[in-house]
Amino acid sequence: MKPNPESPSTARPQVEQEQSLDAIDRRSFAAESSPWEGAADPIELQNGPIAQPAGPAVVALDGEWQLAEGGKVEERLGDTWPDAIPARVPGSVHTALVEAGRLPDPTFGLNQALAREESFKTWWMRREFRREDLGARAQLCFGGIANRCTVWLNGQMLGGHEGMFGGPDFEVGELLENDNVVVVRLDPILFDTDAVTSPNPDNNNSWKNTVVFNNVYGWHYSNLPALGIWQPVSIRSAPDVALPHPFVRTVDSEAGIVELALRFEAGADKWSGTLQGSIAPENFTGESFSFERRVDSEAKTRDVLLRMEIPEPKTWWPVDMGDPNLYRMTLSFAPDGGGTADAHSFTFGLRTIEMAPLPDGPDPEHYNWTFVINGQPMFMKGSNWCTLDPLMDFSRERNERFIELAAMQHIQMLRPWGSGMPETDEFYDLCDRYGILVMQEWPTAWNSHVTQPYNMLEETVRRNTLRLRNHPSLAMYGGGNESHKPFGLAIDMMGRLSIELDDTRPFHRAEPWGGSDHNYNCYWGREHLDHNLNMESTFFGEFGLACSPPYESVLRYLPDDEKDLWPPKADGAFAYHTPIFNTYGDVERLIQYSNYFVAEDCSLEEYTIGSQLSQAVGIRHTLERARCRWPDSTGVLYYKLTDNYPAASWACVDWYGAPKIGHYFFQDAFAPLHAAVLFTSLNCAGEALNLPVYLLDDANALDGGQWRVSVRAFDGRLTNVSSRDFTGVGKVDSPFYLGDFNLDANLTDTVPLFVVAEVLVNDSVEQRTFYFVNHEARKGSLFDLPKTTLELAVRDDKVVVRNTGGLPAVAANVSRPGHLDTFSISDNYFWLDAGEAVTLEVNNTSGLSVDAWNAATQVLGR
């Protein structure tokens, strides 16, 4: 359904003075109701658990299916498929072809182009199963199919479906036999080159006419449109009285007051029964509670709103602000007369979220951008999140690798953006448990909501709002990515449903919109990195720099004849694994930014280091400047944490799971206790510098302690040329301006120049970072420094790095060669003074090595 451009619903809401854009939008959405309307009935919790009936029977149809290409309907509804290969569900067609030896690895070399051709074919999938005890009424449920399908059960066509984020569901009770066969036809991905906006001639714009994650359609990152049954499949028996999508909201997180919204749906006009519930700690030790309540109705549906108070409540907090405490609620409804009961079990957290205006007050042109979590205003430290895999491997293990690294980087918010997807249950459960908020956008981008079918978008929004709304990590809904006209029927529908189905979180029409910014003057605009050192915004929804993965990862996707080749071939695998497949000067851009740090005649390995440094420098300064501008700046989501394909990209952790250099500098920049030194240029040799120094203390770590911020400058000989200490006692109002670190022109006339900033509490170093400038005057100067020596040892499953030389170690780096995609360490690329030792946490102590920009590699002797 396409909105009428002349319809009033496509016009921007009328602006009224002295109101925020949030309030104006809310009124314009004209929501009919909210789950929380009406007075809630108080209910008393009892100590201890309660015995509850089991829910409806479920037959899982995950696991091995058969997969075959093409063929007529009558052939595929037959008993045997002699041409079939095994295929895992959840999974993808492409994964099955790779595992069967029919396709080479799509992530290697130029193989993606071969794999892409399989997306434009018709594929059939088949699964046999036993009926088991499902009762007379049952439903066949697909969690998600990419992207157009038709389904048959026992030779009977059930119907078709399009849109990959949930469904289809079919009533199948009357069709079930003792032995059953379900057959799914996956139709080819369509190809539409109209309105191509990318220089890549293979860019497929058909995503603008359906609902998928679109970043695998050739405009960026990957060119492998996803195809397959990518979410679980099951047959579920139907309860006599259903209790779909129970919803908990926190009224008062400190007091533990919650409300429970329930809708009962029955097949009869008159029914009654007993609702039972239990609440138990999920990830902490504590008491359990339970309740019972009689419910009856004279109609097929009834809404019930209950209020309860959890004793000795444990609040859910984002990363660094407290523990992400979770409760599990188990609900059941047993109808009178012994019919089939319904039951649900889900986790929730005691967490409130509000949006407050900026210091100048509400603005009708801007959203309220101050995030208030559990009554506490917070600067929001975050990143964008890219869909993990075109082959749709969204396993818990794969998700956890990246989410764990995000938490280690002190990321408090992730933005699955509108070119991605409503994320999986595993993603949200992990974000709940690690304490990471989520700004979830619906899968629209660049005004595609105008051409995408309205009914598919509405099904996506409705299904996924109901699926996700109990997660405390879910912080905000968004209309999509970079739509400069975020109005019309579809956007209004998203806003309306955010109220009618949830009404506990904000909704933003688009990102950027209403006061936020995206900025890519570096990279796409090819401006110098100095640009990013001076960027400011109320809220950064996106900015970043593309760079190379670590050298070890690059070698994984290059053929042998390119592994020692630099500069790369314009039509080779290296060039193909760039943002737009080297169709828009990608290699030239990457070399430009790498050459700020390494010489033009560098090796491939040296290029990868310089490229990663460009990202580290181009982002970390912007993060720090934004934090130091609080409360006028309220958050920053750099682009991005993850990637969907192994390539030079904006991600700071590559597709394999290997952190880039930037990951560790961003970890410093986001540290809750941090001393930030603000620069305006990377080239300041021979200039007098007055560098502002700020103390940041998000979680009141300084409360009750004596603290000292030490700032030191080192020249190219690693001689300490200037120092200044700032001291105090107790907590500060963060950010706290300490003063300037001043260097005269003689002291800055060195290549390179280093500045080290550290926070000491009661004379113990709690956090340290270092900066480097003037390196561009002599390419490679960061790696041509006076040498020191390092020693690496294991102690109680931790590693100890000791600087055994007489000079500082610059960017000391502990790695696990051959396993960078699974290795984790609490800090890396750090400054280590002469004679100093540091103890670090690692997830594996085997095969470790340590080096620095001015120290040779040493391998751990064990």
Side-chain angles (χ1 to χ4, degrees):
M1 180 176 183
K2 184 180 291 187
N4 180 355
E6 303 302 322
S7 169
S9 63
T10 66
R12 183 168 182 166
Q14 189 69 32
V15 170
E16 297 185 13
Q17 296 300 314
E18 298 182 352
Q19 292 188 60
S20 68
L21 184 56
D22 305 77
I24 295 168
D25 271 355
R26 182 181 177 91
R27 187 166 56 255
S28 75
F29 296 142
E32 293 184 0
S33 60
S34 161
W36 315 110
E37 291 182 0
D41 294 334
I43 193 164
E44 196 75 23
L45 293 178
Q46 304 298 318
N47 290 328
I50 189 172
Q52 296 177 248
V58 177
V59 176
L61 300 185
D62 299 343
E64 185 175 305
W65 288 48
Q66 291 179 292
L67 173 71
E69 177 191 343
K72 297 179 180 180
V73 173
E74 55 270 22
E75 296 172 341
R76 293 307 179 193
L77 296 183
D79 292 336
T80 60
W81 290 8
D83 56 341
I85 62 172
R88 285 182 285 116
V89 171
S92 76
V93 168
H94 301 91
T95 298
L97 292 172
V98 171
E99 291 178 346
R102 295 262 298 267
L103 268 182
D105 179 3
T107 67
F108 180 81
L110 304 175
N111 290 346
Q112 184 178 218
L114 297 174
R116 178 175 177 268
E117 296 305 308
E118 309 300 331
S119 297
F120 302 104
K121 299 177 180 178
T122 298
W123 295 93
W124 293 79
M125 299 188 70
R126 183 178 189 272
R127 169 68 189 260
E128 298 179 3
F129 66 95
R130 294 281 296 172
R131 177 188 181 115
E132 301 188 20
D133 187 17
L134 289 170
R137 296 169 53 230
Q139 192 173 49
L140 173 60
C141 303
F142 290 88
I145 298 179
N147 177 47
R148 299 182 301 135
C149 69
T150 306
V151 181
W152 288 261
L153 178 64
N154 297 329
Q156 178 70 43
M157 188 174 75
L158 302 179
H161 186 266
E162 182 174 355
M164 71 176 288
F165 301 117
D169 300 325
F170 300 106
E171 299 294 334
V172 296
E174 296 181 355
L175 297 176
L176 287 175
E177 302 171 359
N178 290 332
D179 294 298
N180 301 274
V181 178
V182 60
V183 173
V184 177
R185 184 182 68 202
L186 301 172
D187 292 334
I189 298 297
L190 300 176
F191 190 85
D192 179 7
T193 56
D194 291 345
V196 172
T197 57
S198 165
N200 174 31
D202 291 328
N203 181 32
N204 179 7
N205 281 273
S206 67
W207 65 266
K208 295 180 180 179
N209 299 309
T210 187
V211 180
V212 294
F213 64 90
N214 68 63
N215 56 74
V216 295
Y217 274 64
W219 60 264
H220 229 23
Y221 317 121
S222 176
N223 198 355
L224 186 56
L227 197 66
I229 303 175
W230 68 283
Q231 284 282 271
V233 185
S234 62
I235 303 270
R236 302 170 181 266
S237 63
D240 289 274
V241 179
L243 191 62
H245 310 296
F247 185 20
V248 172
R249 75 161 175 175
T250 302
V251 177
D252 187 325
S253 57
E254 185 175 352
I257 299 174
V258 299
E259 289 184 346
L260 174 62
L262 302 169
R263 164 157 287 193
F264 295 82
E265 297 178 353
D269 290 330
K270 185 176 181 179
W271 51 268
S272 61
T274 302
L275 172 69
Q276 294 178 312
S278 63
I279 299 174
E282 173 73 6
N283 59 352
F284 65 93
T285 301
E287 299 296 323
S288 297
F289 307 95
S290 59
F291 63 87
E292 283 191 354
R293 178 189 171 94
R294 292 287 301 167
V295 181
D296 56 63
S297 178
E298 299 290 333
K300 291 183 178 180
T301 63
R302 181 182 173 186
D303 293 328
V304 173
L305 186 59
L306 305 176
R307 174 177 286 219
M308 59 197 75
E309 182 175 339
I310 300 173
E312 299 181 9
K314 298 286 188 181
T315 308
W316 187 94
W317 285 100
V319 166
D320 296 328
M321 306 306 291
D323 294 326
N325 296 301
L326 293 171
Y327 290 89
R328 178 167 293 279
M329 179 174 284
T330 302
L331 296 171
S332 61
F333 183 78
D336 292 340
T340 302
D342 200 4
H344 298 271
S345 181
F346 56 91
T347 55
F348 69 96
L350 297 176
R351 192 274 296 138
T352 59
I353 183 167
E354 302 167 88
M355 303 301 294
L358 296 170
D360 290 340
D363 184 335
E365 296 290 331
H366 294 102
Y367 289 122
N368 290 334
W369 274 109
T370 303
F371 290 84
V372 182
I373 308 299
N374 297 325
Q376 181 172 328
M378 285 176 51
F379 180 92
M380 197 56 62
K381 301 177 292 191
S383 178
N384 283 252
W385 173 274
C386 183
T387 311
L388 289 182
D389 189 26
L391 278 65
M392 299 187 293
D393 176 3
F394 304 131
S395 64
R396 187 176 188 87
E397 294 75 19
R398 185 161 176 79
N399 270 285
E400 188 160 18
R401 170 61 178 172
F402 297 100
I403 291 172
E404 180 181 41
L405 288 171
M408 293 175 68
Q409 200 186 113
H410 309 290
I411 285 174
Q412 297 168 322
M413 176 174 281
L414 292 170
R415 175 190 171 229
W417 88 141
S419 292
M421 67 182 198
E423 280 295 334
T424 64
D425 292 340
E426 300 285 10
F427 169 86
Y428 267 96
D429 183 63
L430 288 164
C431 286
D432 288 347
R433 294 173 189 273
Y434 278 90
I436 298 177
L437 295 163
V438 181
M439 180 189 290
Q440 180 66 66
E441 293 184 359
W442 301 121
T444 71
W446 308 296
N447 303 312
S448 67
H449 61 276
V450 176
T451 58
Q452 291 172 283
Y454 180 94
N455 62 328
M456 290 184 207
L457 282 176
E458 183 179 29
E459 179 187 44
T460 297
V461 173
R462 187 177 295 277
R463 277 182 175 269
N464 289 280
T465 299
L466 294 172
R467 176 175 67 91
L468 299 175
R469 62 186 182 177
N470 277 313
H471 289 282
S473 56
L474 179 57
M476 178 185 291
Y477 301 108
N481 179 59
E482 295 180 351
S483 293
H484 69 283
K485 295 181 179 179
F487 308 106
L489 297 178
I491 299 296
D492 286 349
M493 171 269 295
M494 296 173 187
R496 184 178 69 255
L497 291 183
S498 74
I499 300 170
E500 293 180 354
L501 301 180
D502 189 328
D503 204 21
T504 68
R505 300 168 173 91
F507 169 82
H508 286 182
R509 290 179 173 272
E511 176 54 51
W513 194 255
S516 60
D517 288 299
H518 293 188
N519 192 306
Y520 291 100
N521 289 355
C522 282
Y523 195 80
W524 292 127
R526 303 189 74 158
E527 292 199 22
H528 191 275
L529 292 175
D530 280 357
H531 171 81
N532 278 18
L533 271 63
N534 297 278
M535 285 200 307
E536 294 181 352
S537 174
T538 297
F539 187 90
F540 277 113
E542 279 189 34
F543 82 97
L545 273 160
C547 76
S548 172
Y551 181 59
E552 177 177 300
S553 294
V554 174
L555 296 182
R556 292 178 69 168
Y557 59 75
L558 290 186
D560 289 343
D561 63 349
E562 291 192 52
K563 288 182 177 178
D564 295 315
L565 182 64
W566 193 258
K569 296 188 295 186
D571 58 351
F574 179 93
Y576 184 78
H577 287 248
T578 58
I580 315 184
F581 319 102
N582 203 33
T583 57
Y584 196 49
D586 303 299
V587 171
E588 291 179 7
R589 285 180 166 82
L590 292 165
I591 290 176
Q592 171 192 333
Y593 288 99
S594 177
N595 284 353
Y596 293 146
F597 301 89
V598 298
E600 294 182 6
D601 59 351
C602 65
S603 66
L604 173 59
E605 183 174 10
E606 290 168 336
Y607 150 77
T608 64
I609 294 171
S611 182
Q612 291 175 71
L613 285 175
S614 71
Q615 182 191 66
V617 169
I619 292 179
R620 70 91 60 97
H621 289 276
T622 312
L623 303 182
E624 291 179 327
R625 181 172 291 276
R627 288 187 70 188
C628 292
R629 294 187 61 246
W630 167 268
D632 296 304
S633 174
T634 66
V636 54
L637 310 180
Y638 70 85
Y639 190 81
K640 56 193 166 103
L641 181 77
T642 55
D643 225 342
N644 69 4
Y645 192 73
S649 80
W650 282 259
C652 72
V653 182
D654 71 27
W655 181 80
Y656 301 106
K660 302 179 184 179
I661 294 173
H663 166 74
Y664 300 104
F665 283 95
F666 307 159
Q667 179 175 292
D668 283 353
F670 275 163
L673 181 63
H674 179 57
V677 181
L678 301 187
F679 290 78
T680 59
S681 176
L682 299 173
N683 297 288
C684 46
E687 300 177 9
L689 292 181
N690 301 308
L691 304 174
V693 182
Y694 286 84
L695 178 57
L696 301 157
D697 183 16
D698 294 346
N700 292 326
L702 300 178
D703 193 7
Q706 292 185 335
W707 53 264
R708 173 164 57 95
V709 172
S710 174
V711 185
R712 298 173 286 160
F714 292 79
D715 64 15
R717 298 182 300 277
L718 296 181
T719 301
N720 183 192
V721 297
S722 184
S723 302
R724 183 178 180 185
D725 286 354
F726 307 87
T727 60
V729 178
K731 65 182 180 180
V732 299
D733 292 329
S734 181
F736 185 62
Y737 170 63
L738 296 172
D740 285 359
F741 182 58
N742 301 314
L743 297 171
D744 63 33
N746 291 328
L747 295 180
T748 67
D749 194 13
T750 179
V751 177
L753 170 67
F754 297 98
V755 173
V756 181
E758 60 191 10
V759 184
L760 299 93
V761 180
N762 298 328
D763 292 325
S764 175
V765 176
E766 296 297 322
Q767 202 269 340
R768 176 189 289 162
T769 193
F770 75 98
Y771 305 84
F772 40 95
V773 295
N774 296 347
H775 47 80
E776 194 177 339
R778 181 163 56 87
K779 308 296 177 61
S781 60
L782 291 173
F783 318 105
D784 185 24
L785 300 168
K787 304 304 180 185
T788 190
T789 54
L790 296 174
E791 182 179 272
L792 180 65
V794 169
R795 183 179 301 162
D796 299 328
D797 292 326
K798 297 181 181 180
V799 294
V800 179
V801 180
R802 184 178 302 277
N803 183 355
T804 55
L807 292 171
V810 182
N813 170 47
V814 178
S815 65
R816 187 168 181 244
H819 304 277
L820 298 185
D821 56 341
T822 58
F823 180 62
S824 298
I825 187 167
S826 56
D827 194 13
N828 232 346
Y829 291 92
F830 50 88
W831 182 279
L832 201 59
D833 288 331
E836 187 180 22
V838 63
T839 301
L840 304 167
E841 296 182 1
V842 295
N843 66 350
N844 196 307
T845 58
S846 300
L848 301 184
S849 67
V850 64
D851 60 18
W853 293 348
N854 64 328
T857 300
Q858 173 158 331
V859 179
L860 180 63
R862 61 170 291 175

